[in-house]
Amino acid sequence: PPLTGSDREVAPGRWVATGPDLAGVPRTWGQVEIAPDWIVYVGVSDEVVYGPARAEALGHVGATLVVMLLGILFAALSYSDIAAALRELTEGTRAAGAGRSVPVPEGTPVEVAEVVEQFNLTLAARDRAEAAERKARERFESIFENALVGLYVATTDGCFLQVNRVLVEMLGYASESELLEVGADALFADPSDRHRRVAEALETGRVPTEELPWLRADGVPIIVRAGGKLVEGPFGDPVFEMIVLDVTEEKRTETELRQTQKMEAIGRLAGGIAHDFNNLLTVIGGNVELLEQELADEDAVREDLGEIARAARRATSLTRRLLAFSQHQRSGRQVVDVNEVVGGLGKLLGPILEETIELDVRAAPGPLLVHVDPGELEQIVLNLVLNARDAMPRGGRLVLRTAGVVGDRGDGEGLPMIELSVSDEGVGIDPTIRPRIFEPFFTTKPMGEGTGLGLSTVYGVVKRSGGTVEVESEPGVGTTLTVCLPAAVEGVQGPPPPRPTVATGASGRVLVVEDDAMVRRFVARSLEESGYEVAAVSSADTAIERIAAERRSYDLVLTDVVMPGRSGRELAEHLAVTSPDTPVLFMSGYVEDPTVSDELELRPEGLLRKPFTAAELRSSVAGAIDRSAARTPAE
């Protein structure tokens, strides 16, 4: 064969090739090398080799073409139905609204009907989701607007995105739009404080709940408790969702509670001090009186004793102020007219005021009745006036007002109150010290010019009487102190009748029960010098044993109220059962038990208040014995 260049070795010494022979007939050649220099060629015609395969392949291709043509024809026939159904589906989808589904026309192919069914399910799910979202939005708006606390959403740069009605009212703005316009910086006296808190929140990712000083629209400071969290805003930036509660009143109440607790603790301390001090003053004053009785009128020692007596009286006044502050001085209250007391002090107030101070008394018409100790009411007026005088070193107007007002009883009903106020045009009270002005011994005056008990005494008397004390002050403008006391319903009572004086030569058996040895000796000596037969013991238990052991009865048991072990009241209760005919007279520097105090207030002749003089002691003992003797025949 001619060389074709297509020879391909298939085994050692064996090749195959394709190409025409010398006559030009296409053949497939096989070549075998059988001996050196001998090669055998065998050529088979391509028609013989590929003819059967080509014929069979042609048959298969033809059949395939026929099947394909039939498929195309069938698809062409079905397309018109599917296309029509899809067109109807498209039109139905456009017409479908909320709560509606796409209809499936009769004769719609199954495949299209399944698509329509799935589409309708999708529509129903979408409608449910939209309805749920709408309800959730409405619920959020309702909660946001009707919440009892302030709510707001704000950006980190201080722009409000949303605020609720409570926050607007809390901050005193006219509308939500006005608050949205001013922004969060307007709420802080120092905007850098807000910036610092924002930076900390962005750094930590937390917004701690804390109490913040804010400013209302009118500039009035308030205290709020604010807390919330950082969330992603509508544009991907972090925003604050915050809850705000106005705790100004709560903080004020907490401050008042702490002040009240502190005052009560100091009051108990003051009462205890006054109790022991009254015992000492009783001994000092009483023994001075006994010494004076033994001295001649021209004796030079009398002058020294007089100085001691005057010092004792000053100490007694101080003690009574301590007791008034500590709320333990409960006897001597009666119904008095505030206008009458203020009017009676008119002559006294003039000399104690500077010439540069103008006193203006503005009393409301009619009697203004309250139930207090007249001396304590006078002390209230004097302390308030003196405090106002000292606040006006350059002079000014001092206004003393009285009025009848209606207070809030707490149940919606009005409570009649009597108001007494003192206003000055003085230096005012520094806000930093205003919470302390009612503390005992707190004073802004130089050393030696004030005791610090003036306003604390006012506070103690007023609180014990069920009233209130309010302070309004502005530095450089002046101060107004207003006392409100419950109005009394009964008529004005006159002062209690004076106790009768008793000369020496009295008779009767008296049992003195006093735990303080010095007081016990003074009382026993004073009564013995008056003619009484006196026995003195240091406790209630000893008194009970002595009364039970003796055959003779006592005409009077004179007992201290506060003693270790059994109190004087417990001793009186025991004697009411075992010796009902034995009268009991109490003596005490203060009465802490409110039950005993109320009982003695209704029967003031049953209490001899320390410190007392020898004359007062003898008068009270004689009066108690006489009242007991007067009741005995009737009984």
Side-chain angles (χ1 to χ4, degrees), residues 141-161:
E141 293 292 340
S142 176
I143 294 175
F144 191 86
E145 289 301 325
N146 297 313
L148 299 179
V149 295
L151 302 174
Y152 73 85
V153 180
T155 62
T156 55
D157 60 358
C159 294
F160 285 126
L161 301 179

Side-chain angles (χ1 to χ4, degrees), residues 25-41:
V25 178
R27 292 182 182 277
T28 298
W29 303 91
Q31 175 183 341
V32 179
E33 184 177 345
I34 60 173
D37 300 329
W38 285 92
I39 297 174
V40 178
Y41 291 92

Side-chain angles (χ1 to χ4, degrees), residues 340-360:
E340 189 174 305
V341 172
V342 170
L345 289 174
K347 295 181 180 180
L348 177 62
L349 296 178
I352 66 176
L353 297 177
E354 304 292 339
E355 295 181 356
T356 56
I357 296 177
E358 177 186 354
L359 177 62
D360 183 3

Side-chain angles (χ1 to χ4, degrees), residues 119-437:
F119 185 77
N120 286 336
L121 292 176
T122 302
L123 285 179
R126 182 201 66 182
D127 292 340
R128 288 194 298 271
E130 289 179 349
E133 181 183 0
R134 186 167 53 254
K135 289 182 179 179
R137 189 182 304 111
E138 292 173 354
R139 185 164 54 250
F140 169 78
E141 293 292 340
S142 176
I143 294 175
F144 191 86
E145 289 301 325
N146 297 313
L148 299 179
V149 295
L151 302 174
Y152 73 85
V153 180
T155 62
T156 55
D157 60 358
C159 294
F160 285 126
L161 301 179
Q162 192 174 8
V163 296
N164 72 339
R165 173 183 51 81
V166 173
L167 184 66
V168 173
E169 295 176 354
M170 180 191 305
L171 297 176
Y173 285 89
S175 63
E176 295 181 9
S177 59
E178 184 179 354
L179 180 56
L180 290 172
E181 183 178 351
V182 299
D185 280 350
L187 308 182
F188 291 81
D190 183 4
S192 63
D193 187 25
R194 189 195 71 83
H195 301 163
R196 177 181 58 81
R197 297 176 188 278
V198 169
E200 292 175 356
L202 293 176
E203 181 180 354
T204 61
R206 296 177 57 254
V207 183
T209 299
E210 54 187 342
E211 293 175 356
L212 306 173
W214 276 11
L215 295 176
R216 286 170 46 90
D218 53 9
V220 175
I222 61 173
I223 303 298
V224 300
R225 185 177 295 125
K229 61 179 181 178
L230 275 170
V231 299
E232 184 177 342
F235 303 106
D237 297 329
V239 298
F240 291 96
E241 289 184 349
M242 301 295 293
I243 300 176
V244 181
L245 181 65
D246 186 354
V247 295
T248 306
E249 185 66 20
E250 176 184 330
K251 302 304 292 183
R252 187 186 66 82
T253 303
E254 289 178 0
T255 302
E256 289 184 353
L257 176 60
R258 287 194 295 269
Q259 175 73 5
T260 301
Q261 291 172 339
K262 181 168 61 175
M263 297 292 281
E264 289 177 354
I266 298 175
R268 287 192 293 270
L269 175 63
I273 294 174
H275 171 260
D276 293 338
F277 201 39
N278 276 330
N279 284 337
L280 297 175
L281 290 174
T282 300
V283 175
I284 294 171
N287 282 283
V288 166
E289 184 183 10
L290 294 178
L291 286 173
E292 286 179 333
Q293 293 175 0
E294 297 176 359
L295 295 176
D297 294 341
E298 63 278 4
D299 196 317
V301 179
R302 275 187 171 276
E303 184 176 351
D304 297 332
L305 292 177
E307 288 295 324
I308 297 174
R310 282 189 289 272
R313 285 193 293 271
R314 290 182 61 186
T316 299
S317 175
L318 178 62
T319 306
R320 286 176 178 172
R321 293 171 73 179
L322 278 173
L323 288 173
F325 158 74
S326 65
Q327 305 183 19
H328 293 304
Q329 189 86 8
R330 295 185 57 88
S331 67
R333 292 199 297 168
Q334 55 186 276
V335 177
V336 295
D337 185 355
V338 174
N339 282 344
E340 189 174 305
V341 172
V342 170
L345 289 174
K347 295 181 180 180
L348 177 62
L349 296 178
I352 66 176
L353 297 177
E354 304 292 339
E355 295 181 356
T356 56
I357 296 177
E358 177 186 354
L359 177 62
D360 183 3
V361 179
R362 304 177 184 178
L368 303 177
L369 307 181
V370 293
H371 192 216
V372 295
D373 185 312
E376 290 180 344
L377 182 58
E378 291 178 353
Q379 194 174 36
I380 289 175
V381 177
L382 286 174
N383 284 339
L384 293 180
V385 170
L386 291 175
N387 191 72
R389 179 202 65 182
D390 295 339
M392 295 189 292
R394 299 182 180 179
R397 179 187 296 269
L398 191 156
V399 181
L400 177 59
R401 295 184 180 89
T402 64
V405 297
V406 177
D408 184 8
R409 194 168 60 183
D411 56 2
E413 297 292 333
L415 178 66
M417 305 285 288
I418 304 303
E419 186 176 272
L420 170 67
S421 66
V422 176
S423 303
D424 63 64
E425 298 175 345
V427 296
I429 302 175
D430 190 327
T432 60
I433 67 171
R434 189 178 303 175
R436 302 189 60 193
I437 62 174

Side-chain angles (χ1 to χ4, degrees), residues 412-538:
E413 297 292 333
L415 178 66
M417 305 285 288
I418 304 303
E419 186 176 272
L420 170 67
S421 66
V422 176
S423 303
D424 63 64
E425 298 175 345
V427 296
I429 302 175
D430 190 327
T432 60
I433 67 171
R434 189 178 303 175
R436 302 189 60 193
I437 62 174
F438 294 117
E439 291 183 7
F441 307 110
F442 175 79
T443 179
T444 59
K445 300 175 182 177
M447 181 67 69
E449 294 187 14
T451 63
L453 284 174
L455 291 182
S456 63
T457 300
V458 171
Y459 182 89
V461 173
V462 171
K463 287 297 182 181
R464 174 167 51 81
S465 301
T468 60
V469 185
E470 299 292 338
V471 182
E472 296 181 8
S473 183
E474 184 175 349
V477 176
T479 301
T480 297
L481 280 158
T482 303
V483 171
C484 281
L485 298 172
V489 294
E490 60 259 54
V492 178
Q493 300 174 354
R499 289 170 174 163
T501 57
V502 179
T504 57
S507 62
R509 301 188 72 223
V510 179
L511 177 61
V512 178
V513 187
E514 169 62 61
D515 60 301
D516 189 288
M518 290 188 295
V519 176
R520 189 168 61 249
R521 286 194 295 270
F522 161 68
V523 171
R525 177 185 172 187
S526 298
L527 294 179
E528 286 172 348
E529 289 184 357
S530 297
Y532 293 101
E533 180 183 346
V534 181
V537 296
S538 60

Side-chain angles (χ1 to χ4, degrees), residues 42-70:
V42 177
V44 182
S45 171
D46 286 350
E47 185 65 29
V48 175
V49 176
Y50 298 109
R54 287 172 181 165
E56 186 174 356
L58 183 60
H60 284 296
V61 170
T64 300
L65 291 175
V66 171
V67 172
M68 289 179 63
L69 290 173
L70 292 175

